[in-house]
Amino acid sequence: MAVFAFSVAPLGAGESVTAAVAEAVRIVRESGLPNRTTSMFTEIEGEWDEVMPVVQRATEAVGTGGHRVSLVLKADIRPGRTGQLDAKVRRVEEALAEDESQTGHA
């Protein structure tokens, strides 16, 4: 099991890449795998063989029209762990809350 973060965008497609990126995000959301999109990356959680075809379809969708495509991919591979898309963030927030309660600083 792993959490993958990726960013995909067409190169040479003009100033705005919103439509192409939206299509990639739609493909991720339709996969049914746990996912989240931020301003810089889309995160998706699953097994390699589940996630890689989704990333490939999203990348291919961004490249329609013959555009060159930039893909950045990062993975946190942690066998046997699920729900890490949210759990990793929750652990950091809990640590920050604990620090704040001990120091009295918000």
Side-chain angles (χ1 to χ4, degrees), residues 20-34:
V21 171
E23 180 61 17
V25 171
R26 182 188 64 75
I27 289 167
V28 171
R29 290 183 179 174
E30 288 178 353
S31 74
L33 294 170

Side-chain angles (χ1 to χ4, degrees), residues 6-23:
F6 77 102
S7 172
V8 61
L11 300 176
E15 188 173 324
S16 177
V17 297
T18 302
V21 171
E23 180 61 17

Side-chain angles (χ1 to χ4, degrees), residues 39-94:
S39 63
M40 298 283 295
F41 286 93
T42 294
E43 299 170 338
I44 184 169
E45 184 173 14
E47 298 291 344
W48 277 96
D49 60 347
E50 297 174 311
V51 174
M52 288 300 108
V54 176
V55 172
Q56 181 178 2
R57 286 194 307 274
T59 303
E60 290 169 349
V62 166
T64 59
H67 294 292
R68 186 176 185 177
V69 177
S70 170
L71 171 65
V72 176
L73 178 66
K74 181 177 181 179
D76 179 3
I77 302 161
R78 199 165 182 190
R81 299 292 291 249
T82 61
Q84 295 304 297
L85 191 67
D86 294 320
K88 290 173 70 164
V89 175
R90 185 175 55 251
R91 287 191 297 271
V92 170
E93 292 297 339
E94 288 169 354

